């Protein structure tokens, strides 16, 4: 949360989905928000949603996307740390350049129908990034994976949000759907 506040440029919503945590995550988040006080005046709205039964990643994301008011949603997982000031503006740039973009990943994308990949993908996630790839270049493929993930909220809604039944990184470990 500190890295998001420190590196996000502009006004934004903060929607936190606490997915069946048994480690007092909600209390930690509430204390963090209290400590922020007026220093987090970039947050125009904050919501905390807590589920007592496991939703898993895809369903939790859809709740956040449904509740969001913005045109673009950023999905940032709890284990991610934002390190580049203005990362959100960098992720927004492809949407401004092309009208056919639905999602942009800050880490990787891949083609569904070939073996070329950018960054870390699928079962090869333990492999290092390709050093020949430029951080200032946008790579266009059929899919984008791993966050931070920015999505065009209207296009996502038109698609019926994320597919919760066939999302292979959810609670269905070992079963991939194409």
């Amino acid at each position: 949360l500190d890295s998001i506040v420190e590196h996000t440029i502009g006004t934004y919503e903060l929607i936190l989905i606490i997915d069946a945590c048994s480690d007092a995550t909600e209390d930690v988040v509430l204390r963090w928000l209290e400590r922020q006080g007026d220093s987090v005046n970039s947050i125009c709205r904050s919501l905390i949603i807590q589920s007592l039964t496991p939703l898993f990643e895809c369903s939790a994301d859809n709740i956040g996307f449904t509740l969001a008011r913005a045109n673009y949603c950023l999905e940032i997982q709890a284990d991610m740390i934002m390190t580049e000031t203005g990362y959100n503006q960098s992720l927004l740039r492809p949407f401004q350049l092309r009208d056919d973009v639905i999602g942009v990943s800050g880490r990787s994308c891949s083609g569904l129908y070939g073996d070329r990949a950018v960054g870390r993908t699928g079962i090869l996630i333990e492999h290092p990034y390709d050093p020949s790839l430029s951080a200032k270049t946008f790579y266009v493929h059929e899919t984008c994976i791993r966050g931070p993930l920015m999505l065009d909220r209207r296009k996502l809604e038109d698609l019926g949000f994320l597919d919760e039944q066939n999302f292979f990184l959810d609670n269905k470990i070992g079963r991939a759907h194409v």
Side-chain angles (χ1 to χ4, degrees), residues 84-132:
E84 176 188 325
T85 299
Y87 70 93
N88 57 319
Q89 297 300 318
S90 294
L91 291 171
L92 183 60
R93 206 165 313 128
F95 294 100
Q96 297 166 333
L97 296 172
R98 298 177 57 127
D99 63 357
D100 60 347
V101 174
I102 296 172
V104 175
S105 170
R107 288 186 53 199
S108 62
C109 64
S110 65
L112 288 172
Y113 306 105
D115 58 0
R116 277 190 35 205
V118 174
R120 301 176 183 178
T121 61
I123 60 171
L124 303 176
I125 202 161
E126 69 279 357
H127 291 194
Y129 288 107
D130 181 342
S132 68

Side-chain angles (χ1 to χ4, degrees), residues 31-115:
R31 284 194 303 273
W32 178 85
L33 281 170
E34 285 176 18
R35 285 193 311 274
Q36 301 312 302
D38 292 335
S39 68
V40 191
N41 53 13
S42 296
I43 300 175
C44 66
R45 174 177 171 237
S46 60
L47 293 172
I48 300 172
I49 308 298
Q50 182 175 23
S51 174
L52 299 178
T53 57
L55 298 171
F56 301 101
E57 183 176 344
C58 192
S59 298
D61 288 347
N62 276 341
I63 290 171
F65 299 145
T66 302
L67 294 172
R69 297 177 179 166
N71 292 333
Y72 300 96
C73 297
L74 250 170
E75 189 269 358
I76 301 172
Q77 296 164 332
D79 62 348
M80 294 180 186
I81 297 174
M82 301 300 97
T83 59
E84 176 188 325
T85 299
Y87 70 93
N88 57 319
Q89 297 300 318
S90 294
L91 291 171
L92 183 60
R93 206 165 313 128
F95 294 100
Q96 297 166 333
L97 296 172
R98 298 177 57 127
D99 63 357
D100 60 347
V101 174
I102 296 172
V104 175
S105 170
R107 288 186 53 199
S108 62
C109 64
S110 65
L112 288 172
Y113 306 105
D115 58 0

